[in-house]
Amino acid sequence: MNKQTKILITGGAGFIGSHLCAQLIRDGHYVICLDNLFTGSKTNIAHLLNNPNFEFIRHDITSPILLEVDEIYNLACPASPIQYQLNPVKTIKTSILGAIHVLGIAKRVHAKVLQASTSEIYGDPLVHPQTESYWGNVNPIGERSCYDEGKRVAETLFFDYHRQNNVEIKVARIFNTYGPNMAKNDGRVVSNFITQALEDRPLTIYGDGSQTRSFCYIDDLITVLIKFMNTTDKSFTGPLNIGNPKEFTILDLAEKIIKMTNSKSPIKFEVLPSDDPKIRKPSIDLARKRLNWSPKIELTEGLEKTISYFTRRLRIENN
Ligand code: NAD
Ligand code: UDP
């Protein structure tokens, strides 16, 4: 049997990270989950804590750390606009120093490293759908910049370590993803609308709801992240768009969730935050071609699973 692969997941106690930890353990690997628990929680990984192939390290990736691993998934960074704007200086430090620290580990121990980059690289895009070759339309000094520019510098660092130090990199540009293990107070649109609808509170639409997003269910994302990491062609670095290309307006989403939850909630229109992208939809031709991957889970099916998750969570909290 091959040697067990030792995998570091930074941000492993968060929404995406917790699913990735669980899947990689199911696949027979040894997983080190590193997290400072800013937006993640131990509840997300509670079922893994006693597993002999799982280790949790409470650590902030803005400080260096020495670890011997074969692969690294670098997910550490708050992803919700509300959360990443709470302490913008910390957010940009997390992206930039975090990238420097994981790339330093990768360089020293010859680990392969995947960066959880983002569709925010494209900012408020002027090209639709967004292809990997588009350089984006990002405000460098706005309220979203700590996240967008941090992630852009992280991509630069990944490519410079690759060119200068031969580090094996995979850069995944993730588009809006949703599912169980999102925090109730996370602030992103799917978790907000579902919890508001289940509690019969008004659904808060920012702006007039005509802005669009394309929503990928977590299971589809986990499949493709692992597939991408496992590619052996070292020149296949990405950037690679990952997401579901079906596009919806935020108003569509609100109405769908109200209907699916049989909620009495009204819709409440609130001020649109600055620099909120008006449209977003990935071109996933490259992922289709190179990985033979496309998302399988439709929005209705993914929302059903996510609504069940939040229904259970709210029931536990209210008891
Ligand atoms: P999340 O907020 O649930 O998870 C982020 C995790 O990183 C949390 O567990 C948090 O505690 C941890 N973290 C934050 N700062 C840290 C630090 N300084 N040191 C150590 N740990 C730290 O968000 P998520 O949706 O799971 O996102 C995971 C990654 O994927 C992020 O890098 C995000 O930018 C990227 N991404 C997510 C989406 C999406 O739609 N979910 C889209 C694009 C990119
Ligand atoms: N949004 C909204 N109501 C909410 C939360 C978000 O209308 O309660 C909007 C937000 O303005 C954006 C879209 O939904 O246009 C997606 O927001 P989210 O924070 O989930 O992610 P983003 O894609 O903006 O990073």
Side-chain angles (χ1 to χ4, degrees), residues 52-282:
N53 287 327
F54 183 78
E55 205 177 317
F56 173 68
I57 303 178
R58 185 163 186 161
H59 178 81
D60 193 308
I61 201 60
T62 57
S63 297
I65 184 163
L66 300 175
L67 291 165
E68 297 275 336
V69 290
D70 305 299
E71 292 178 0
I72 306 169
Y73 289 83
N74 185 35
L75 270 58
C77 185
S80 158
I82 304 271
Q83 304 295 339
Y84 69 62
Q85 287 168 22
L86 281 176
N87 186 344
V89 173
K90 177 69 193 239
T91 299
I92 200 159
K93 280 186 183 172
T94 295
S95 277
I96 296 177
L97 296 174
I100 290 172
H101 296 146
V102 299
L103 286 160
I105 300 175
K107 176 183 161 189
R108 201 175 50 252
V109 302
H110 303 290
K112 202 195 275 194
V113 55
L114 182 145
Q115 166 67 355
S117 190
T118 164
S119 50
E120 294 286 333
I121 294 291
Y122 305 118
D124 191 5
L126 305 175
V127 166
H128 197 68
Q130 292 79 55
T131 50
E132 289 87 349
S133 57
Y134 178 46
W135 289 357
N137 177 38
V138 177
N139 176 358
I141 56 166
E143 286 171 5
R144 292 175 86 101
S145 311
C146 60
Y147 183 74
D148 299 12
E149 297 289 19
K151 290 284 186 177
R152 285 168 70 95
V153 174
E155 284 202 8
T156 307
L157 285 161
F158 268 69
F159 279 86
D160 282 337
Y161 270 78
H162 174 65
R163 284 185 289 257
Q164 193 177 331
N165 302 110
N166 213 15
V167 172
E168 197 175 346
I169 60 161
K170 306 280 172 195
V171 174
R173 288 185 181 155
I174 302 170
F175 283 64
N176 297 66
T177 302
Y178 68 100
N181 292 6
M182 293 183 94
K184 185 190 159 196
N185 63 351
D186 176 84
R188 280 177 280 186
V189 69
V190 174
S191 46
N192 267 10
F193 284 179
I194 292 179
T195 51
Q196 289 164 342
L198 290 174
E199 291 175 338
D200 287 326
R201 289 183 287 122
L203 269 67
T204 50
I205 291 190
Y206 306 154
D208 62 6
S210 62
Q211 69 270 40
T212 68
R213 294 294 186 271
S214 308
F215 299 100
C216 184
Y217 187 67
I218 183 69
D219 292 2
D220 281 326
L221 180 85
I222 296 299
T223 304
V224 69
L225 279 183
I226 296 174
K227 247 185 176 202
F228 186 28
M229 177 64 112
N230 288 346
T231 51
T232 50
D233 177 357
K234 291 189 180 167
S235 68
F236 184 33
T237 55
L240 180 74
N241 284 347
I242 291 178
N244 191 318
K246 289 219 175 118
E247 189 181 9
F248 296 86
T249 67
I250 295 303
L251 183 60
D252 289 337
L253 180 75
E255 287 170 345
K256 197 170 173 60
I257 289 176
I258 289 176
K259 199 164 159 209
M260 287 179 70
T261 51
N262 288 322
S263 174
K264 297 187 200 58
S265 295
I267 285 176
K268 184 171 165 224
F269 293 92
E270 295 189 351
V271 178
L272 186 69
S274 61
D275 297 331
D276 198 289
K278 287 181 263 319
I279 43 175
R280 181 180 293 154
K281 165 187 158 99

